[in-house]
Amino acid sequence: MDQIIRFAPFGRLTSAARHWLLPLCALTASFVGQADEFTQKQLEDVAKVRTLASQSDLSWQLLESLTTEIGPRLPGTENDKLTVAWAEKQFKRLGFDKVWLEAATFPEWRRYHESAKLIAPSEQPLHITALGNSISTPQQGLRGEVVLFETFDELKAAPVGSLKGKIAFINYRMNRDIDGNGYGPAVQARNKGAVEAAKKGAIAYMMRSVSTAHHRFAHTGGSHYDEQVTKIPATAIANPDADQIARLLKHGHTPQVEINIQTEDLGEGTSFNVIGEITGSEFPDQYVLLGSHHDSWDLGTGALDDGAGMALTMAAAKHIASVTRPKRSIRVVLFAAEELGLWGAKAYFKRHEDKLAQIVASAESDFGADVVYAFESKVNAASLPLVRAIAEQLKPLGITYIGANRARGGPDLIPLNNMTSAPIFDLHQDGTDYFDYHHTADDTLDKVDPEKLKQNTAAYAVFALMAANGKTSMQGK
């Protein structure tokens, strides 16, 4: 804007004039901030991309194809291989300038059978699932008395040998919140519960599902062993069944459970990160990284975790390329084997370790497909004007700006966080209901709202285009 507008001092204005002038001044200041970083043409392109993404069905079409034609995508399975081929084909069909694969190895694991039941004080079926990486029970299963702990810390504090011949059971109840803040405390029990139970002499480990649901689905998820500690079967049961066991104890009974899970450790497996890039016009070696992961657990079809993330990041980059050529590249990385321990992400950032400074901004979509409600950065203070300019263009999508500058990024960005101070962003999705479906047979396409998916796609498209087109590249905090 070349014109200079002069206003009278506030003290000489009527109250009515002040009423409209204050928001006008704020709007003018906001526009000036954006004008410092972007040309008028660039801001017009942002608006076009935002409108296109908000109206397009592309992300839904991709997600429908993935979850219908392939379905579950456990790392190392035939479906995992089909997913890699599908993603490579879709990137090429969408016109990405560069498409390539990068190998990632991981500990390959399979589940074959899982069942459980209460055998005392009465026989009742239990809905159970093996946690990822769990060993099998004996072929005939195992039986034991259940000992309940309310928290992981309580189990850790139990005396050594106190669980000899018994089944340890953690009944930690995850809270429901928009940002999913109950997941961290709950997942500690999933990761290491079997190790702590074995230290106390337990023959098996069982936990309340890491879930906010009342539905009778067991939620799986990754677990890990300590090679110095005896390995025991690790399982999770549906929340209503966890409540049933707790009530039996409350009524003075000593519940006994029979568990039979059959799994297999297949050693080292190989999958591939699938990468598509829209090449920048001025600084092609610098890039905005949009991430998601292409694997899923085997119980559902991985629509929320993380098919939606795959579809919307791919579609966001395509929408940008349909309108304009960004100054910097936009790289969509579909990481492999996230569910088994971030193996694709570890491989990617290790492979590109000497070039991480080329990442000018990064964000991952791995929290379902509900609306993006807030935007947050983790950048050097000098880059905050650019961040605020991006936030301004996200407002029409109903997204608020969080100025704390403490973004953490998604799971696959953890290795990046640990290795460098690259600029990382959170496009916070509403996770109020996410953990009702997370890692269950109920993670299917019907749980995704196509209109909310469009809003997500538009948010990532606006963010990626503006991060790629800033006058200067952003730096990490």
Side-chain angles (χ1 to χ4, degrees):
M1 175 180 276
D2 295 327
Q3 292 179 328
I4 299 176
I5 303 175
R6 292 185 173 87
F7 295 106
F10 280 6
R12 293 167 54 188
L13 297 174
T14 66
S15 59
R18 291 193 195 97
H19 178 73
W20 62 258
L21 182 56
L22 287 171
L24 178 60
C25 287
L27 179 63
T28 303
S30 172
F31 179 81
V32 171
Q34 293 184 71
D36 288 342
E37 288 288 346
F38 300 98
T39 66
Q40 184 62 30
K41 172 63 165 58
Q42 287 174 329
L43 291 176
E44 290 171 358
D45 287 342
V46 170
K48 290 177 183 177
V49 167
R50 185 175 57 228
T51 299
L52 173 61
S54 296
Q55 297 175 350
S56 171
D57 290 323
L58 177 59
S59 51
W60 175 263
Q61 292 166 0
L62 290 167
L63 181 57
E64 182 183 42
S65 171
L66 175 70
T67 56
T68 303
E69 298 178 272
I70 298 176
R73 306 175 295 279
L74 190 68
T77 61
E78 286 303 310
N79 277 13
D80 181 48
K81 297 172 185 176
L82 288 174
T83 302
V84 170
W86 177 91
E88 183 179 20
K89 178 182 177 180
Q90 295 298 334
F91 274 133
K92 291 178 179 178
R93 180 181 71 85
L94 294 173
F96 280 68
D97 299 309
K98 298 178 183 177
V99 182
W100 71 98
L101 308 180
E102 294 179 359
T105 57
F106 57 91
E108 194 167 348
W109 176 87
R110 295 285 190 280
R111 99 177 65 235
Y112 300 119
H113 171 80
E114 47 196 26
S115 63
K117 62 182 178 180
L118 275 163
I119 55 175
S122 65
E123 186 167 307
Q124 302 180 38
L126 297 175
H127 290 253
I128 198 168
T129 186
L131 296 178
N133 199 41
S134 175
I135 65 168
S136 297
T137 63
Q139 283 289 335
Q140 70 276 16
L142 57 79
R143 294 184 170 196
E145 174 188 329
V146 174
V147 180
L148 185 148
F149 301 89
E150 293 293 347
T151 66
F152 180 53
D153 286 340
E154 186 182 357
L155 171 61
K156 290 171 66 176
V160 174
S162 62
L163 298 179
K164 186 174 181 180
K166 299 178 180 179
I167 297 173
F169 170 51
I170 292 181
N171 193 37
Y172 180 82
R173 297 170 185 270
M174 180 180 171
N175 69 289
R176 183 186 296 274
D177 200 279
I178 191 172
D179 66 357
N181 59 52
Y183 185 64
V187 85
Q188 291 180 21
R190 194 183 71 198
N191 283 338
K192 293 293 185 180
V195 173
E196 292 301 323
K199 288 179 181 178
K200 317 304 181 184
I203 58 172
Y205 173 67
M206 187 169 66
M207 65 176 293
R208 183 186 188 91
S209 284
V210 179
S211 164
T212 52
H214 299 291
H215 301 293
R216 209 174 179 191
F217 290 101
H219 296 236
T220 191
S223 65
H224 304 281
Y225 290 114
D226 183 332
E227 294 302 323
Q228 307 305 313
V229 179
T230 301
K231 296 180 180 180
I232 62 174
T235 66
I237 61 171
N239 287 356
D241 290 340
D243 292 337
Q244 187 79 328
I245 292 174
R247 282 192 297 267
L248 286 169
L249 286 162
K250 182 180 178 181
H251 285 284
H253 296 286
T254 302
Q256 295 184 42
V257 167
E258 178 181 286
I259 297 173
N260 190 325
I261 61 169
Q262 301 301 318
T263 64
E264 186 177 9
D265 177 357
L266 295 173
E268 186 176 85
T270 300
S271 186
F272 296 88
N273 295 325
V274 188
I275 304 165
E277 185 173 281
I278 303 296
T279 304
S281 60
E282 295 184 27
F283 310 104
D285 291 336
Q286 298 177 14
Y287 65 96
V288 176
L289 190 159
L290 299 183
S292 63
H293 64 88
H294 68 69
D295 63 311
S296 79
W297 288 106
D298 48 330
L299 301 181
T301 61
L304 294 170
D305 186 17
D306 185 26
M310 295 171 64
L312 71 90
T313 52
M314 296 170 78
K318 166 60 177 176
H319 292 320
I320 291 170
S322 296
V323 171
T324 186
R325 175 64 57 170
K327 288 167 56 176
R328 298 174 182 83
S329 299
I330 296 173
R331 184 177 296 184
V332 178
V333 183
L334 309 180
F335 294 104
E338 184 269 353
E339 299 292 7
L340 296 181
L342 309 178
W343 294 99
K346 292 172 185 175
Y348 179 86
F349 292 113
K350 180 65 176 176
R351 182 186 184 101
H352 298 273
E353 186 173 12
D354 60 339
K355 296 180 180 179
L356 295 181
Q358 294 177 346
I359 301 174
V360 299
S362 58
E364 180 180 19
S365 176
D366 185 16
F367 201 49
D370 211 321
V371 294
V372 175
Y373 67 92
F375 174 64
E376 187 174 8
S377 65
K378 189 195 77 172
V379 300
N380 187 285
S383 300
L384 287 174
L386 173 53
V387 172
R388 287 192 290 269
I390 297 173
E392 194 66 27
Q393 294 300 322
L394 291 171
K395 280 184 180 180
L397 297 170
I399 300 170
T400 61
Y401 173 51
I402 298 175
N405 202 30
R406 295 176 183 173
R408 299 175 62 184
D412 286 301
L413 297 185
I414 291 174
L416 177 64
N417 248 327
N418 292 340
M419 296 169 70
T420 183
S421 58
I424 288 178
F425 293 81
D426 286 328
L427 284 83
H428 292 288
Q429 291 163 293
D430 186 334
T432 305
D433 299 328
Y434 178 64
F435 290 104
D436 288 357
Y437 311 109
H438 183 249
H439 294 182
T440 73
D442 216 18
D443 181 0
T444 49
L445 182 64
D446 56 300
K447 309 309 182 302
V448 178
D449 183 328
E451 294 306 311
K452 292 179 179 180
L453 188 62
K454 290 177 184 178
Q455 188 259 10
N456 273 263
T457 307
Y460 272 82
V462 167
F463 157 72
L465 176 56
M466 296 187 75
N469 271 350
K471 185 180 294 186
T472 56
S473 63
M474 287 181 281
Q475 299 299 319
K477 193 171 182 180

